Amino acid sequence: MTTVDPYAGERLKKTHFYPRAAPLNIRDAWVAWNGYKFAECYYDAEYEYFCVRNSCATYDICPMQKYYVEGSDAEAMLNRMVTRDVKKLGLNRVMYTVWCTDEGRVVDDGTIFRLADDKFMLTCGSPCNAWLKMSAFGFSDVTITDMSDEIAALSFQGPTSCAVLKKMGLQGIETAKPFDIRHFPFHGDTLMVSRTGFTGDLGYELWVTPELALDLWDELYAVGADYGIQPFGEEATNMTRLEAGFIMPDLELHEALKTIHLEHDQSPLELNLGWLVDFKKPHFNGRIALLKEKERGTKYTLTKLDIPGNKPAVEAILYKNERCSQDIGYVTSAMWSPAVKANIALAMIRTEFLKGDIWVEVYFQKELRQYRKVVKATIVKKQFWTPPRARATPPLDF
Amino acid sequence: MGVLDLNRVNSIVIGAGHNGLVCAAYLAKKGHSVLVLESSDTLGGLAAGREFHPGFKTSVAHSINHFPQKIIKDLALESFGFGAPAEPLPTTGLSLDGSHVVLQKDTLTGVGESDITAYRHISRLLQRFADRLEPFWLKTIPRVGIKNLTDLLTFGQMGLRVRMLGKADMREFMRITTLPVRDLMDENFEHDILKAMLSWDGLVGSKLAPRSPNHAVLAMLYRRVGGQHGSVASLIKALVSAASAAGADIRTSTAVEKVLVKADDKGLIAHGVRLANGEIIEADRIISATDPQTTFLKLVGVANLEIEFTNRIRRLRCEGYVAKLHLALSDLPKFPGLRKPGGRMIIAPNMDAIEFAFDDAKYGECSQQPVMEIIIPSIYDDSLAPLGKHVLSAHVMYAPYQHKGGWDDAKREAFTARAIDTIARYAPGIKEQIIQSELLTPLDLEHEFNVTGGHWHHTEFALDQSLMMRPTYEAAQYSTPIPGLYLCGAGSHPGGDLTGGPGHNAAQEILR
Amino acid sequence: MNTFDAIIIGAGHNGLTNAAYLAKAGLNVVVLEKNDYIGGASVTREMHEGWHYSSASYVCSLLRQALHRDLDLTRHGLLLVPYLGTVNFADDGRTLTAFTNPEADYLELKRHSPHDADSMFRFQSDMGRYAHFIRKTLLRTPPDPTSFKPRDIRELLWMGKQMWALGEKEIYEYIRFFTMSAAEFLEDYFENDLIKAAMATPGIIGTALGVYSPGSAYVLLHHVMGDVDGNVGAWGLARGGMGAISNAIAGALQQYGGEIRTNAGVQNLLVKNGKASGVVLENGDELHAGIVVSNLDAKRTFTKIVDRKDLPPGIYEKAKNFKIRGSSGKVNIALSGMPKFTGVPDNRYINCGGQNFTGSLETMERAYDCWKHGRWSDDPFVEGVIPSAWDPTVAPPGKHWMSNFVQYCPPKLADGPWTPEKRDLFGQAVVDKIERYSPGFKDLIVHMEVRTPHELESEIGLTEGNIFQGELTIDQLLFNRPFPGYAQYRMPVKNLYMCGASTHPGGGVSAACGANAAREILIDLKRPNTVPEDDFYDE
């Protein structure tokens, strides 16, 4: 008797690397991302974090959304959609950008790869089919193909990552600058490597057809064994990106199209991503609104905070004074940074209060008892931590 | 191709429909140099006179019933030959047995005493409402996000005028404005033909049937505004003369291909047009009398527009549901029971007939039993047909713009035959009088008049596409998201029909 | 003992709620019910041995939880269990399941259309925004825009403020949404025909409008603005059927000392010196009270119970013109086993939800066309649910009860009055439709109860069988409900009030009408208010 799984349609899908990644998920710690089963951590989040900072580690980005945007109007279409100038994106280069609603609120952030004059790949954290379709309406020659399930992608990060790729035979990979794309022959097909990542460390993202996903994994892990390779999950990613000061969807960013309440979404200026907004470009979606916002000043500003003590200020409210009589913002992400040994946080703070004191109301627990303390935070201007190797070309040997 | 050395003009008006002409005339009168560019070889757009058979002429828009006095006065249209007949046209609800229902001015005949009393009551009530709304048809309706005192005053005035109706009337107003026209009729009248005939003004030209809530009563109120009645041809002639006399330069057979948008780091600005022949004309502002979809999606291009705005323009409901029937007749047709087939004659035996005719069209089919409004304009204007011969003009509902499987000649002929059969049931013998017939489907209207969907009103006249939402917010005060580009067509407040309202309001906004 | 402080006519859930709050305030109240059972349309009845049908209404979402908590309904026996999901069946055999779990729901939508799966997020946040505003008005008395009383002006300003909080753009979107058709509204988001059809179904429930009729988008919202445990749009079943709601409220009422009399149909309202002073029962008994509250619909109240001569001019006509066309039928079926549906895995979790025999937008619209022609559709829209899949109290173990709500069914047939034979033919059309998706369904049928608008009127007293006690169109919503000028529960005869679904916020088993009316009565009596304010989990 054959048994049909009545819940088949409801179960999360498995990524192309699942057969290799699952046995390594010692903790069986899975979450969901875009309908895929996705590792929260494999062995220990802090261990994985240190693999990224100390040796090398892989992060399965198959569930990330990937779209080909092709045709003679592809550049114009993307250029109208995103805030940066796509015209300035060279062949085989990658650009990080955001795209906004008409009101200048962030729909999502992501990267654009120029694969040819008239061919781009756009990647982002959430499905973007509907917005891309709406954006493409009226352009006569642009085709959008959802490649999310058709490309296997693995993020490979850490100080030894370049060495591993070199040893795998990817000749000249050390000459790839940040945001460069390289193509290498691989098992009769092509392995695309971009020097990109979400950790703020030296790292690459590897893109390959699903049929070769396991071969890629096997080769990478065979060579990587001597270089401390380890898969890492969502938790470690969140730690590294916070140290690098990158925004995370659903923490710093509430996607505008999914927002019910007025102003619960964010503008790129509020997110401190003004450098992504190219006002020199005469037209892009949200430009008029963003220009107004720029003149007026943003209501909130995403700010990096150093907080006394060692209790992460998770979900904390910020105040103007120690008495907590006026709230001026809220913490979006907070953690103890293992690299810089500091209690760090990202917070949305009302811009007008940035000049004054910032007090944080931290709740923490000791053996089930809840405690509260109010401490004065300092604003951190630079990223909490990015190693110089992240930008060096060629990268130093570890 | 190259930039011709042309004098730069203040304003270019795209399209010489009546709204384009009204707008041009107002601007020219204020000393603007105005250039009106019309793609076809005739003036007047859907109101243009056209010969559909040698010697037989008519226009798609075949009657005027609420052209505002203010525009007539401002532009001195009477001095240019726009005169009104002494009496407004009567409206007749045709009956198969010859006992027709006739409404001449406010006198109703052919129905029972209770209906006459009820009509007197409801007509006065609606007139009171219409009077309250009247000033707002010739006014820009401001954004809800009030910015200045004038806007604030408009809203204040609006609220006050409605409040001044008094408690009872105001309550009835709140209830009635969104009522399906069928309910309004059933609440007040008994006679089937009367109900259908009075519903007509709420429904004609729209994707609406008697049972559809929310929009029909508003359309009735819009059409009840006291104004001028008169011949379409003389109106267009007068508008052309008025605009020309004020100095506007009107060119026919001059199709605009693109609105030119300049980009610098300050943003976008519309600065001219490119004609189909490649010629480029620069101007301070471009005013489009074409429908919003044509203006934004074709002439401006989406690359210059915001994404959600574009989507709203794309989603405008622009599909026409009315076919236009023209008959060249050898003689005046005889409608038993009617002394003379004058005025507007409506064929709709009851409200269900309209409803069921609409139901066919919902699914992309032509009505099996069409309903229609007939006028024989040659009775009033003998230049439209050779001596003794006549022209019959009818708005036939419902013919969907998007016919299931697409329009073709066979479908057009079948619908023509069905429409003529329907008329012949009320005017036996008319078939023998037909010299030539022509039926323009919404698709034909789109092709011939460059109006998206063949929609009379450019876009559906519905509550969600009216007032400060017509055609959509951010373009509802005649200016558009692109500086230098304005709208002045029926797709803007107050909407369609021959009222000149959009043209007038756009001009006021530009001159503000 | 035939003198009371207040008489409430009709023991539907709103009448009981109203009485409970008046009793709570210390009033001596009696609820009069013409039937020998209470509950009105929120009722459970054993129509076949061992099977307990929710004969009329069958699901619950709008019931205000502030009232639930305040009247301690759980202690009086009410347990609301949320749906797990609903399967929509297309004509061509495809199915679309709406799961409550977001990941499962996303995967299922993506199976049909990646575009629509993505658009669903935008749709839900937009609906959330619209619901957010209107939900706040449910437990409030609508202001009278023609009045200059401070309270009305205050309430109007409050509404304006709530509206303004949406943002300028959303105000336009809101007006647009309020006036357009469900089909056109959904076109803004979705491409897939089945997804559109599935999402459109709440737009026609109980309504004499089609999916293409302007105004149906609001009806759609009316059905998704309720919530279960803070999940806006979720639906739940009452354990023991919908009668459990009425019984629990009755329990609360009796605890506060209120009285309920069944078999006590009201013949006439007594009016003395222009004031309501009591009622005459069908058996001739007279009951007296300073306050009379009608839980009957507006049309019934003013054309049947109140003498025309006691009414100010124009009210009778208003009542006669009150739009209350019935459009729905109900077929309750006792089954000897769980039916199997094609295209759905034999999945008991999915079965713990609804089965919508949706078809396409066109199927639904054509069913509406039939209604316009005065006949029922041979291919109607059927919203089924098998409560016995997770409620052990409504059918014997292993046996099942399927509730089927049918849209459309006309109150009057073009070919003469409803007869038992025609009623059964209507029931047969529904069974035939289900059989198409569940071969062998007919063989499982043990007993059937068929309810056309005719039965809904003659048994429960809903005029023309309209389940909302009056249509939910703009001309009859908020301060227009039931009539402009009488939306604050006070009626044209002094001391006469209305508390049924004919008043704001309308039908849907919210109990809000009854509670709102009680608050107004207590204001007039200068008594302390006993009705709680709504709570929204700080949403």
Side-chain angles (χ1 to χ4, degrees):
Chain A
M1 191 185 135
T2 54
T3 50
V4 179
D5 175 9
Y7 304 103
E10 294 186 54
R11 291 184 197 275
L12 293 171
K13 290 195 286 185
K14 293 164 182 169
T15 74
H16 304 299
F17 297 111
Y18 185 82
R20 297 291 185 272
L24 297 173
N25 197 325
I26 312 300
R27 306 293 173 221
D28 255 333
W30 300 101
V31 288
W33 182 16
N34 293 339
Y36 279 98
K37 196 169 171 181
F38 185 72
E40 191 173 19
C41 78
Y42 286 85
Y43 187 74
D44 177 83
E46 195 168 335
Y47 172 70
E48 289 159 27
Y49 161 84
F50 276 110
C51 289
V52 174
R53 291 281 183 244
N54 177 46
S55 53
C56 66
T58 63
Y59 179 63
D60 184 352
I61 49 174
C62 289
M64 196 164 70
Q65 302 295 295
K66 311 160 200 86
Y67 303 91
Y68 280 165
V69 182
E70 295 165 272
S72 56
D73 286 334
E75 187 186 276
M77 178 250 152
L78 284 173
N79 225 1
R80 177 235 207 175
M81 184 176 112
V82 306
T83 55
R84 285 181 87 178
D85 196 342
V86 182
K87 275 192 184 140
K88 293 181 182 158
L89 180 65
L91 183 63
N92 285 322
R93 290 282 294 165
V94 184
M95 167 187 266
Y96 170 65
T97 187
V98 293
W99 44 98
C100 300
T101 61
D102 292 9
E103 279 74 42
R105 314 300 285 181
V106 178
V107 173
D108 207 353
D109 64 343
T111 49
I112 298 176
F113 294 57
R114 191 190 277 267
L115 305 176
D117 275 352
D118 58 354
K119 181 174 181 180
F120 299 86
M121 180 169 81
L122 179 132
T123 73
C124 49
S126 299
C128 198
N129 279 293
W131 186 253
L132 281 169
K133 189 171 182 207
M134 206 189 272
S135 308
F137 169 79
F139 290 93
S140 47
D141 182 23
V142 55
T143 317
I144 290 158
T145 320
D146 187 347
M147 300 300 290
S148 304
D149 299 342
E150 317 304 326
I151 297 175
L154 200 58
S155 181
F156 183 43
Q157 306 281 310
T160 63
S161 57
C162 182
V164 171
L165 294 179
K166 257 197 295 193
K167 201 162 182 193
M168 258 176 74
L170 306 191
Q171 277 187 10
I173 187 67
E174 69 279 5
T175 63
K177 293 188 184 117
F179 296 107
D180 268 359
I181 302 170
R182 294 292 163 90
H183 297 269
F184 301 94
F186 186 75
H187 293 238
D189 204 332
T190 303
L191 170 65
M192 185 171 90
V193 181
S194 55
R195 189 168 165 190
T196 47
F198 195 42
T199 59
D201 213 309
L202 173 65
Y204 301 85
E205 286 170 330
L206 316 175
W207 315 82
V208 76
T209 172
E211 291 72 34
L212 296 175
L214 297 183
D215 291 346
L216 173 66
W217 181 284
D218 292 343
E219 272 194 40
L220 202 61
Y221 273 74
V223 177
D226 295 339
Y227 294 84
I229 196 168
Q230 159 72 25
F232 68 110
E234 180 68 27
E235 271 185 70
T237 301
N238 197 21
M239 292 168 76
T240 53
R241 72 89 202 174
L242 181 50
E243 283 180 345
F246 297 155
I247 61 161
M248 184 78 139
D250 287 342
L251 288 173
E252 277 72 37
L253 168 66
H254 198 276
E255 294 169 36
L257 299 178
K258 301 180 183 172
T259 304
I260 291 179
H261 296 264
L262 188 67
E263 291 182 350
H264 279 190
D265 48 12
Q266 294 80 22
S267 84
L269 307 180
E270 289 180 330
L271 290 170
N272 232 335
L273 296 174
W275 62 281
L276 294 180
V277 184
D278 190 347
F279 285 115
K280 290 215 177 76
K281 203 165 64 158
H283 180 59
F284 58 86
N285 217 52
R287 184 184 187 275
I288 300 165
L290 288 169
L291 204 57
K292 274 191 201 146
E293 189 187 11
K294 193 184 164 200
E295 282 161 12
R296 195 175 58 223
T298 61
K299 193 162 178 187
Y300 280 91
T301 304
L302 185 68
T303 310
K304 295 186 256 320
L305 293 180
D306 189 331
I307 298 165
N310 62 356
K311 300 297 180 195
V314 178
E315 296 176 1
I317 303 279
L318 308 179
Y319 296 92
K320 192 179 149 186
N321 50 36
E322 197 172 4
R323 284 174 295 123
C324 299
S325 63
Q326 182 173 14
D327 57 320
I328 57 171
Y330 54 94
V331 169
T332 55
S333 311
M335 70 168 207
W336 175 257
S337 162
V340 297
K341 303 297 176 217
N343 192 22
I344 63 171
L346 283 175
M348 284 298 255
I349 303 179
R350 298 248 297 279
T351 309
E352 61 195 290
F353 293 104
L354 279 176
K355 287 211 178 84
D357 290 351
I358 293 165
W359 292 86
V360 190
E361 185 182 26
V362 186
Y363 281 84
F364 58 98
Q365 199 194 60
K366 287 182 185 174
E367 291 161 337
L368 302 184
R369 183 166 301 180
Q370 296 292 344
Y371 294 88
R372 165 187 180 271
K373 63 175 177 180
V374 179
V375 289
K376 194 167 145 189
T378 6
I379 293 178
V380 178
K381 291 284 181 199
K382 286 189 179 152
Q383 284 156 314
F384 297 113
W385 172 240
T386 42
R389 61 177 173 258
R391 301 207 56 83
T393 310
L396 309 172
D397 265 342
F398 333 139
Chain B
M1 192 177 111
V3 184
L4 284 178
D5 187 25
L6 236 154
N7 286 333
R8 190 189 165 80
V9 294
N10 292 137
S11 300
I12 290 175
V13 175
I14 305 174
H18 84 285
N19 276 314
L21 294 170
V22 167
C23 186
Y26 271 101
L27 294 179
K29 268 179 89 85
K30 284 281 173 186
H32 282 226
S33 58
V34 182
L35 180 60
V36 183
L37 303 173
E38 167 61 40
S39 63
S40 75
D41 55 2
T42 51
L43 297 171
L46 282 166
R50 58 190 277 289
E51 197 169 62
F52 65 97
H53 185 70
F56 291 87
K57 276 192 287 189
T58 182
S59 55
V60 172
H62 66 194
S63 64
I64 302 172
N65 66 357
H66 56 129
F67 196 85
Q69 275 300 335
K70 177 176 187 288
I71 300 179
I72 295 173
K73 234 174 80 197
D74 287 353
L75 300 180
L77 294 183
E78 272 166 359
S79 71
F80 294 107
F82 178 52
E87 289 274 279
L89 298 181
T91 302
T92 305
L94 292 179
S95 165
L96 273 179
D97 62 9
S99 51
H100 309 302
V101 179
V102 182
L103 180 64
Q104 172 74 50
K105 250 184 129 184
D106 254 348
T107 314
L108 193 58
T109 50
V111 295
E113 199 51 50
S114 70
D115 275 349
I116 291 175
T117 317
Y119 180 77
R120 213 171 288 140
H121 167 75
I122 202 77
S123 172
R124 276 190 207 136
L125 183 75
L126 291 179
Q127 197 56 50
R128 285 204 294 277
F129 297 163
D131 290 347
R132 293 287 128 185
L133 296 177
E134 184 174 356
F136 303 101
W137 303 127
L138 283 186
K139 244 191 185 128
T140 303
I141 307 295
R143 290 170 37 169
V144 179
I146 293 159
K147 282 199 302 194
N148 61 44
L149 196 63
T150 326
D151 292 352
L152 203 65
L153 279 175
T154 304
F155 280 125
Q157 193 194 5
M158 228 177 201
L160 196 67
R161 283 189 74 88
V162 173
R163 279 226 157 181
M164 270 162 51
L165 278 168
K167 236 178 185 156
D169 269 9
M170 181 177 164
R171 284 171 176 164
E172 195 63 355
F173 180 76
M174 294 186 315
R175 186 182 77 91
I176 268 185
T177 37
T178 59
L179 210 59
V181 68
R182 182 190 172 103
D183 294 334
L184 186 65
M185 295 301 145
D186 278 343
E187 284 177 11
N188 291 287
F189 304 112
E190 283 162 15
H191 197 291
D192 278 343
I193 293 178
L194 175 68
K195 290 186 201 173
M197 169 182 134
L198 294 176
S199 305
W200 191 260
D201 279 345
L203 306 172
V204 64
S206 300
K207 188 190 176 184
L208 288 176
R211 284 188 194 270
S212 312
N214 295 353
H215 309 310
V217 173
L218 199 67
M220 286 175 81
L221 295 178
Y222 176 49
R223 292 187 170 121
R224 277 191 84 88
V225 171
Q228 200 72 5
H229 303 255
S231 105
V232 177
S234 70
L235 172 68
I236 297 303
K237 236 168 88 185
L239 284 173
V240 172
S241 309
S244 304
D249 182 0
I250 304 172
R251 296 195 204 166
T252 53
S253 304
T254 313
V256 172
E257 197 177 68
K258 274 279 169 218
V259 169
L260 298 176
V261 177
K262 202 157 53 183
D264 57 28
D265 54 11
K266 288 198 197 76
L268 304 177
I269 185 163
H271 64 100
V273 297
R274 189 177 71 226
L275 303 182
N277 63 10
E279 189 182 330
I280 284 171
I281 307 173
E282 299 272 335
D284 297 336
R285 71 187 65 76
I286 321 299
I287 307 154
S288 176
T290 63
D291 67 87
Q293 289 197 346
T294 303
T295 304
F296 289 112
L297 305 182
K298 290 192 190 137
L299 298 180
V300 173
V302 300
N304 295 316
L305 299 167
E306 305 261 316
I307 292 168
E308 289 166 290
F309 178 83
T310 307
N311 190 50
R312 295 205 302 277
I313 297 295
R314 178 182 73 87
R315 292 280 302 128
L316 288 176
R317 303 192 296 283
C318 298
E319 288 165 11
Y321 278 82
V322 191
K324 191 65 209 292
L325 178 73
H326 297 146
L327 299 180
L329 299 172
S330 60
D331 205 346
L332 194 62
K334 286 196 172 57
F335 291 76
L338 267 192
R339 205 164 42 80
K340 187 180 156 200
R344 289 200 306 168
M345 293 170 286
I346 287 163
I347 297 184
N350 52 50
M351 289 191 291
D352 267 348
I354 309 178
E355 187 76 31
F356 299 154
F358 175 73
D359 284 345
D360 296 326
K362 272 194 311 203
Y363 307 111
E365 305 280 352
C366 289
S367 304
Q368 285 304 314
Q369 291 175 311
V371 289
M372 66 186 82
E373 168 189 311
I374 300 169
I375 277 188
I376 303 180
S378 48
I379 295 178
Y380 304 99
D381 183 347
D382 52 20
S383 71
L384 298 178
L387 192 65
K389 303 195 167 34
H390 281 279
V391 168
L392 181 147
S393 161
H395 296 313
V396 188
M397 297 209 291
Y398 294 80
Y401 168 69
Q402 284 191 322
H403 201 292
K404 230 176 210 170
W407 276 102
D408 56 33
D409 288 346
K411 283 175 191 145
R412 191 196 292 105
E413 275 158 29
F415 194 56
T416 311
R418 222 178 290 155
I420 291 174
D421 284 347
T422 308
I423 299 173
R425 287 166 61 210
Y426 294 86
I430 195 170
K431 282 187 183 175
E432 288 71 41
Q433 298 172 321
I434 298 174
I435 302 168
Q436 179 65 270
S437 70
E438 173 194 62
L439 183 108
L440 299 171
T441 69
L443 192 68
D444 297 331
L445 293 174
E446 176 178 82
H447 288 157
E448 191 161 335
F449 295 95
N450 285 321
V451 52
T452 304
H455 200 300
W456 292 8
H457 305 322
H458 288 190
T459 182
E460 192 74 11
F461 185 60
L463 204 53
D464 61 313
Q465 297 188 167
S466 58
L467 302 171
M468 64 283 191
M469 294 168 291
R470 186 167 184 88
T472 182
Y473 54 91
E474 292 168 347
Q477 285 78 30
Y478 310 97
S479 61
T480 67
I482 298 180
L485 177 70
Y486 294 82
L487 300 178
C488 76
S492 295
H493 172 78
D497 287 1
L498 292 172
T499 70
H504 166 271
N505 295 355
Q508 302 312 310
E509 201 61 27
I510 290 162
L511 296 170
R512 192 162 159 168
Chain C
M1 258 307 285
N2 274 344
T3 303
F4 300 88
D5 292 334
I7 294 170
I8 291 90
I9 309 171
H13 83 286
N14 272 318
L16 294 167
T17 304
N18 184 268
Y21 279 108
L22 296 182
K24 193 181 173 192
L27 267 62
N28 176 20
V29 301
V30 64
V31 184
L32 305 174
E33 170 58 45
K34 72 167 175 127
N35 287 320
D36 58 3
Y37 53 89
I38 63 159
S42 183
V43 65
T44 309
R45 296 177 70 198
E46 185 173 13
M47 301 302 286
H48 188 71
E49 203 187 333
W51 271 271
H52 299 264
Y53 298 153
S54 295
S55 294
S57 69
Y58 52 103
V59 282
C60 174
S61 164
L62 276 170
L63 185 67
R64 306 316 307 141
Q65 42 203 9
L67 304 179
H68 185 143
R69 183 175 56 243
D70 188 68
L71 292 177
D72 217 351
L73 298 186
T74 309
R75 224 154 52 80
H76 291 291
L78 179 60
L79 183 71
L80 291 178
V81 189
Y83 263 43
L84 276 179
T86 296
V87 189
N88 293 277
F89 295 85
D91 293 334
D92 56 12
R94 285 174 302 154
T95 61
L96 171 80
T97 307
F99 291 99
T100 43
N101 175 283
E103 289 295 333
D105 199 48
Y106 172 72
L107 284 172
E108 174 71 355
L109 287 164
K110 199 175 167 195
R111 186 167 72 86
H112 291 278
S113 162
H115 174 277
D116 291 1
D118 182 0
S119 253
M120 185 61 83
F121 293 108
R122 187 167 67 95
F123 176 78
Q124 280 172 341
S125 63
D126 286 355
M127 286 302 268
R129 202 176 303 117
Y130 303 145
H132 183 67
F133 169 70
I134 197 84
R135 276 161 57 77
K136 289 187 180 170
T137 69
L138 295 178
L139 262 187
R140 295 177 90 100
T141 298
D144 179 355
T146 68
S147 146
F148 288 101
K149 283 188 199 136
R151 185 180 170 208
D152 287 312
I153 291 171
R154 206 167 54 234
E155 280 293 298
L156 268 177
L157 287 176
W158 177 84
M159 282 177 75
K161 202 177 137 208
Q162 300 303 315
M163 195 97 175
W164 191 246
L166 295 167
E168 183 185 349
K169 179 189 145 189
E170 293 307 328
I171 294 174
Y172 301 128
E173 293 289 341
Y174 201 74
I175 299 172
R176 187 172 135 78
F177 163 78
F178 235 86
T179 55
M180 72 194 309
S181 77
E184 271 156 359
F185 177 64
L186 292 165
E187 295 276 353
D188 270 352
Y189 301 89
F190 305 116
E191 298 175 343
N192 180 276
D193 60 326
L194 178 53
I195 293 176
K196 275 190 271 190
M199 301 309 293
T201 57
I204 58 167
I205 300 282
T207 305
L209 291 175
V211 288
Y212 292 118
S213 306
S216 50
Y218 170 72
V219 185
L220 199 156
L221 179 67
H222 194 87
H223 284 103
V224 299
M225 69 184 173
D227 62 288
V228 178
D229 300 330
N231 296 316
V232 176
W235 284 90
L237 287 182
R239 188 177 195 267
M242 294 299 279
I245 295 177
S246 305
N247 291 339
I249 303 172
L253 165 65
Q254 280 157 340
Q255 194 194 339
Y256 293 131
E259 184 187 339
I260 300 169
R261 289 193 197 171
T262 51
N263 292 316
V266 169
Q267 182 76 44
N268 212 358
L269 179 78
L270 286 172
V271 178
K272 210 182 269 170
N273 303 328
K275 292 177 184 170
S277 64
V279 296
V280 185
L281 297 186
E282 278 162 358
N283 66 11
D285 289 357
E286 282 193 15
L287 275 69
H288 299 278
I291 300 278
V292 180
V293 190
S294 171
N295 185 31
L296 313 181
D297 64 69
K299 194 164 188 169
R300 187 155 296 245
T301 303
F302 293 107
T303 62
K304 299 237 164 87
I305 302 295
V306 185
D307 213 329
R308 193 172 173 177
K309 68 172 171 35
D310 292 327
L311 287 171
I315 298 299
Y316 178 83
E317 289 74 15
K318 276 197 166 79
K320 214 177 65 165
N321 290 335
F322 185 64
K323 282 158 49 188
I324 188 161
R325 289 164 290 207
S327 60
S328 325
K330 181 81 197 291
V331 179
N332 295 304
I333 304 174
L335 299 165
S336 60
M338 178 59 94
K340 287 199 191 323
F341 296 97
T342 44
V344 187
D346 183 18
N347 176 337
R348 91 185 177 87
Y349 292 139
I350 293 180
N351 288 337
C352 290
Q355 291 83 24
N356 283 3
F357 305 100
T358 313
S360 61
L361 289 175
E362 187 172 330
T363 319
M364 288 191 263
E365 186 70 15
R366 288 202 186 271
Y368 172 51
D369 291 348
C370 291
W371 178 88
K372 288 197 242 174
H373 285 268
R375 53 175 199 262
W376 67 83
S377 164
D378 284 331
D379 192 9
F381 164 66
V382 179
E383 180 174 291
V385 58
I386 306 178
S388 53
W390 71 107
D391 182 350
T393 69
V394 290
K399 315 273 189 227
H400 288 282
W401 160 52
M402 185 173 188
S403 154
N404 292 290
F405 179 83
V406 190
Q407 198 73 12
Y408 299 80
C409 189
K412 291 183 200 100
L413 293 172
D415 63 356
W418 278 100
T419 61
E421 293 72 34
K422 288 181 190 166
R423 181 193 66 206
D424 292 344
L425 283 173
F426 164 70
Q428 206 48 52
V430 174
V431 170
D432 288 344
K433 174 133 186 175
I434 301 172
E435 176 81 16
R436 265 165 48 201
Y437 301 97
S438 177
F441 181 81
K442 285 182 184 175
D443 303 332
L444 298 173
I445 297 176
V446 177
H447 172 261
M448 264 172 66
E449 180 197 35
V450 184
R451 291 285 170 272
T452 69
H454 177 73
E455 277 77 27
L456 292 175
E457 167 149 18
S458 58
E459 288 175 15
I460 307 169
L462 294 169
T463 301
E464 296 187 41
N466 185 293
I467 66 167
F468 298 133
Q469 278 203 358
E471 293 168 42
L472 297 173
T473 45
I474 299 180
D475 55 294
Q476 296 190 160
L477 281 178
L478 211 63
F479 34 71
N480 285 343
R481 192 166 185 90
F483 327 121
Y486 296 98
Q488 298 183 333
Y489 308 94
R490 297 167 186 84
M491 289 302 128
V493 179
K494 208 166 161 22
N495 295 346
L496 174 68
Y497 297 81
M498 264 176 57
C499 76
S502 278
T503 61
H504 171 77
V509 197
S510 69
C513 310
N516 287 343
R519 185 179 50 240
E520 295 305 313
I521 293 167
L522 293 172
I523 288 175
D524 289 355
L525 293 176
K526 300 195 168 60
R527 295 234 186 186
N529 180 26
T530 53
V531 181
E533 289 197 358
D534 217 340
D535 77 59
F536 295 98
Y537 290 99
D538 296 326
E539 67 182 43

